[in-house]
Amino acid sequence: ELQEERTADEEMEVEEKPDVSEIRVERRQRWDEDVWKRSFSEWMREVKRKRFPYVAQIGDQVVYFRLGYEEYLKDIEKAKLYTIDPKMHPNESVGMEEFAVVEDVQYILMPYRLIQLKLARTDAEGKRTGFTWTVKYHDLDCNPDFIILRAFYEAGLAMNLEVGDEIDAAIEDFWWKGIVESTVRCALSGDWQSVEVRWETGEKEELSLWDVRKGSAAIATHQPVSEEEVISMGSVPYCEGDWPDEDDGETRRRLKIALTALAQCDTVKEFATAVPVEWFSDYPMMVAYSTDIETICERIDNQYYRRLRSLLHDVRHLALAAEAYNGWSAVIVRNAKVLVEAIVRIANDPSMSNDDFVPSFQSCFDLPESEYKRRPEP
C-alpha cells in the first residue's frame, strides 16, 4: 500500500511538471476572427518592462531579422488570420539581419489590429545610413520575436557561451535549466547566434542567445519567475538623449504629478481611466490603440518608458483616440488636444512649478487650434 501511495504521488509530481513542449503547446489557441474587434491586445496594455514580447517605442535601437518576419507572415497565411498585403513582404534591399532605430510607431486597424514601425537602418555605431522601411505585425503566440532590442542582442553575444556551459531560460513564467550541447545557425538570421540546449528533462531545443542567460546555482528547474526577475530581464540602460541631462527621474516625477492633477479637471476626467469597452462595444473597432492617464502614470511608476519621446507619444494618443472615436469637431477632442499641448509644455519647461500645472493647462484653451492640433514630434 505504501508503494502504491508513493507511485501515485510520483505520478502527481509528473503531472504538475509538464515538459517544455507541452507548455508551448498550451499557448496555442484557436483563432477567433473577431476577438481583436472587441478588445485590445494584452501586449498593447502592458505597464511593466518585459523582455518578450518586444513592444516598440520611438527611438529604440533594435535588431531586425528578415527570416523571422517572413516566418510570421507565413504563419498568418497558414492560420488565415488576415489577408497579407504584398507590400508587407520585405523587398530585396532589406538584409537578413539589420541594425535599425525605430523612427515612428503607428497603430492600424486594417486588415487587423497591427503595429506599424518605420525602421531606419543604422551602422555598427548606431548612426543612420539613410535607408528606411516599414514593418507591420502584431504579437502572435508561438512566433518568436523578429525584432529585439539591440542591447539584448549584444548582451547575448557577450556571454560567449561554449559547449558544456549551464544556462537558465525563463519560459512561460517558470525557469528551466539546461546545458549547451552545440552552437547552431540561428533560424532567424542564418548566423552563429543560437545554441542547442539539453534540458534537465532530457529534451533538446534550439534557442537564440538572447533567450538564455548563464546558469545560476540560485535557480532551479520549474522555479517560478519572480516579478523582480521579469522586470530586471526587460530593463536596458538609458542612452544619451533619452531623458534630459542629469534628470535622475525628475521629468517622470513632474509629469506624473501634472497628469494626476489635470485628471481632476472636468475637461479631462474622460481620459482619467481606460474606456470601458463593455459599455462602448464599438470603441475597439474604431480606435487602433487606446491609453489613459491611469495607465500612463502606472507605466511611469514602473519606469516602462525608455525615453521621454516614448512617454509623450502615449500622451498624444489620448487625442488621437478621442478623434478617431468622436470625430475631429467634438468638444472632447479639443479638450484632449489641449491636454496634450499642456503636458508637452510642462515636459519642455523644467522651471514650471507644480502649482503652475493647472493654470498652464487652462491657458492652452486660449491658443489657436493650429498650435496643438498636430504638434510635431520633438
Side-chain angles (χ1 to χ4, degrees):
E1 290 178 355
L2 290 174
Q3 180 63 37
E4 288 177 357
E5 287 180 5
R6 280 198 296 269
T7 303
D9 290 341
E10 290 171 359
E11 289 177 353
M12 287 179 65
E13 276 192 24
V14 172
E15 290 178 0
E16 291 173 357
K17 297 182 179 180
D19 59 31
V20 180
S21 60
E22 287 176 347
I23 285 184
R24 295 193 187 282
V25 169
E26 283 177 5
R27 287 198 68 193
R28 297 189 180 276
Q29 301 174 352
R30 293 185 178 180
W31 297 115
D32 182 343
E33 295 180 356
D34 295 325
V35 68
W36 66 276
K37 297 179 181 179
R38 301 192 300 267
S39 61
F40 295 96
S41 305
E42 288 185 12
W43 64 277
M44 283 187 169
R45 301 294 302 171
E46 185 57 64
V47 296
K48 296 181 180 179
R49 293 171 294 175
K50 291 184 178 180
R51 177 167 293 205
F52 304 113
Y54 168 66
V55 181
Q57 296 184 23
I58 290 179
D60 280 349
Q61 292 278 349
V62 299
V63 184
Y64 164 89
F65 300 102
R66 174 172 174 159
L67 290 180
Y69 182 57
E70 291 176 341
E71 191 65 29
Y72 162 82
L73 296 178
K74 289 179 183 178
D75 288 347
I76 293 299
E77 291 179 330
K78 183 179 179 180
K80 298 180 180 179
L81 193 57
Y82 63 83
T83 302
I84 300 294
D85 186 330
K87 295 181 180 179
M88 290 179 66
H89 291 277
N91 60 44
E92 296 179 356
S93 300
V94 181
M96 289 297 177
E97 179 180 306
E98 295 275 9
F99 290 158
V101 60
V102 178
E103 280 201 342
D104 188 34
V105 179
Q106 296 184 25
Y107 302 91
I108 56 178
L109 277 171
M110 297 300 292
Y112 199 77
R113 193 183 306 280
L114 305 177
I115 186 171
Q116 176 177 294
L117 304 184
K118 180 181 180 183
L119 300 179
R121 178 187 288 158
T122 60
D123 59 20
E125 285 72 41
K127 297 179 180 178
R128 289 172 171 80
T129 64
F131 176 75
T132 63
W133 75 102
T134 300
V135 182
K136 299 177 182 178
Y137 68 100
H138 76 294
D139 179 44
L140 181 64
D141 278 353
C142 301
N143 188 273
D145 283 356
F146 47 83
I147 300 177
I148 64 169
L149 288 171
R150 185 168 171 176
F152 296 153
Y153 170 88
E154 293 176 342
L157 295 180
M159 286 191 296
N160 295 318
L161 289 177
E162 298 179 351
V163 174
D165 284 350
E166 294 185 354
I167 61 93
D168 299 332
I171 300 176
E172 300 303 317
D173 303 326
F174 291 92
W175 285 108
W176 292 79
K177 298 185 73 68
I179 297 177
V180 175
E181 289 271 293
S182 63
T183 56
V184 294
R185 290 190 181 277
C186 177
L188 298 182
S189 68
D191 206 347
W192 297 100
Q193 296 165 357
S194 293
V195 289
E196 185 180 45
V197 175
R198 175 169 53 81
W199 302 114
E200 288 185 343
T201 58
E203 292 180 285
K204 292 184 179 182
E205 185 172 4
E206 180 183 331
L207 295 173
S208 299
L209 292 177
W210 43 90
D211 290 331
V212 303
R213 69 181 193 181
K214 286 197 171 183
S216 169
I219 298 296
T221 295
H222 307 301
Q223 177 180 320
V225 180
S226 69
E227 188 90 1
E228 293 76 16
E229 289 170 330
V230 170
I231 294 174
S232 175
M233 289 188 294
S235 301
V236 294
Y238 295 131
C239 298
E240 184 179 354
D242 286 347
W243 298 95
D245 293 340
E246 300 179 2
D247 181 272
D248 196 26
E250 179 62 18
T251 298
R252 294 191 293 271
R253 186 191 68 82
R254 292 179 67 252
L255 290 180
K256 182 187 176 183
I257 292 174
L259 286 164
T260 303
L262 298 184
Q264 307 302 315
C265 299
D266 289 340
T267 54
V268 181
K269 60 184 180 181
E270 289 88 355
F271 314 110
T273 58
V275 173
V277 294
E278 62 273 17
W279 296 350
F280 301 92
S281 58
D282 58 341
Y283 186 79
M285 292 185 287
M286 301 176 69
V287 175
Y289 175 76
S290 177
T291 189
D292 56 89
I293 291 176
E294 184 179 56
T295 297
I296 294 173
C297 287
E298 192 172 355
R299 287 174 170 173
I300 290 174
D301 285 339
N302 296 327
Q303 298 184 34
Y304 173 87
Y305 298 109
R306 292 187 275 272
R307 57 197 58 84
L308 177 58
R309 291 182 64 194
S310 306
L311 194 162
L312 295 181
H313 185 260
D314 252 10
V315 172
R316 288 186 177 90
H317 271 278
L318 294 170
L320 293 175
E323 184 171 341
Y325 187 69
N326 299 281
W328 66 271
S329 61
V331 173
I332 190 175
V333 176
R334 176 177 173 80
N335 294 343
K337 291 176 179 177
V338 170
L339 172 62
V340 172
E341 177 67 20
I343 293 299
V344 172
R345 290 186 173 216
I346 293 170
N348 293 333
D349 185 3
S351 65
M352 190 182 300
S353 69
N354 297 354
D355 294 335
D356 293 332
F357 293 160
V358 173
S360 176
F361 163 70
Q362 293 171 340
S363 69
C364 289
F365 280 95
D366 299 327
L367 295 172
E369 187 175 4
S370 59
E371 286 286 326
Y372 55 81
K373 182 176 182 182
R374 290 290 182 186
R375 189 181 182 98
E377 290 287 344

